Amino acid sequence: MATPSSPFAFLNDLVSRIGTRLQPPPWAVHEIQHRAVLFLNHVLQQEPEAQQRLVRQKGRVVQFEWSFVTMRLIATPAGLLDLAPEGAVPELTLTVTDTSPFDLARATLRGDKPAVRIVGDVQLAAEVNWLVDHVRWDVEDDLARVIGDVPAHTLGNAARRVVGALRQFVGDRVPRPGIGGTGAE
């Protein structure tokens, strides 16, 4: 009897085909990238240590790639990020190897980092890894500025419970290496 395929296999294939055929106009890509940089800088400004680390990397370019999406960022003298100028040569390229958005979402819900192929400067890669490991968006703090501390804390607790339940749900259904039927015990 054949092993049934994932119910999301069709959706993965559809997203892949659509993504390679339907490309947004360049102005939209540029605008989305600018918004992403503004968000990243907002998060970085909440972490002085992260900004100090980026100051040491000023002028260095990192290229991020996933599927058909590419973004080049440059560290500024202020310890923030900006879009790298056209034609800037990256010193580090980070490519997310998993092309399925569903698999990426599943891994994120489990609390795992996606698989990444690293090409380039090892020290710069170590700094980027430190940023990924230590910089977090304090959603509750930003929300408190809009709706107040108590409602923001209440919403934050509810969101943490939902995320915890989703992680447990996903974790219970995804076999881990060496556990449950791999034959490698």
Side-chain angles (χ1 to χ4, degrees):
M1 186 164 104
T3 304
S5 64
S6 166
F8 293 109
F10 170 75
L11 291 175
N12 283 336
D13 186 47
L14 182 66
V15 168
S16 176
R17 283 186 282 145
I18 289 173
T20 56
R21 291 188 183 143
L22 295 178
Q23 295 292 322
W27 64 266
V29 171
H30 186 70
E31 193 60 32
I32 292 168
Q33 289 178 341
H34 265 287
R35 301 286 183 219
V37 168
L38 287 173
F39 173 73
L40 290 171
N41 284 335
H42 169 71
V43 173
L44 286 169
Q45 287 174 330
Q46 297 171 354
E47 291 288 339
E49 173 68 20
Q51 286 185 269
Q52 291 171 0
R53 286 173 174 265
L54 279 172
V55 165
R56 294 191 300 259
Q57 304 302 325
K58 69 181 175 198
R60 301 186 79 186
V61 177
V62 177
Q63 179 169 305
F64 298 93
E65 298 175 350
W66 175 67
S67 192
F68 54 89
V69 179
T70 300
M71 186 170 171
R72 286 187 185 150
L73 298 175
I74 188 168
T76 69
L80 298 172
L81 298 170
D82 198 1
L83 291 175
E86 194 67 35
V89 177
E91 296 176 50
L92 175 65
T93 301
L94 303 170
T95 306
V96 177
T97 57
D98 196 349
T99 58
S100 167
F102 300 109
D103 290 342
L104 286 174
R106 189 178 310 120
T108 301
L109 284 173
R110 281 193 318 256
D112 298 339
K113 289 183 190 177
V116 176
R117 186 178 71 238
I118 301 168
V119 177
D121 187 280
V122 175
Q123 289 179 325
L124 184 55
E127 289 293 338
V128 171
N129 188 51
W130 186 92
L131 292 171
V132 169
D133 285 344
H134 293 90
V135 178
R136 295 286 177 265
W137 178 29
D138 190 350
V139 181
E140 194 172 310
D141 185 53
D142 283 347
L143 193 57
R145 292 181 194 146
V146 178
I147 64 173
D149 289 337
V150 174
H153 185 67
T154 302
L155 285 173
N157 283 339
R160 281 187 286 279
R161 284 194 303 270
V162 167
V163 168
L166 283 171
R167 280 189 175 154
Q168 183 178 3
F169 177 77
V170 170
D172 290 346
R173 281 153 179 65
V174 178
R176 295 194 178 123
I179 300 174
T182 62
E185 285 114 34

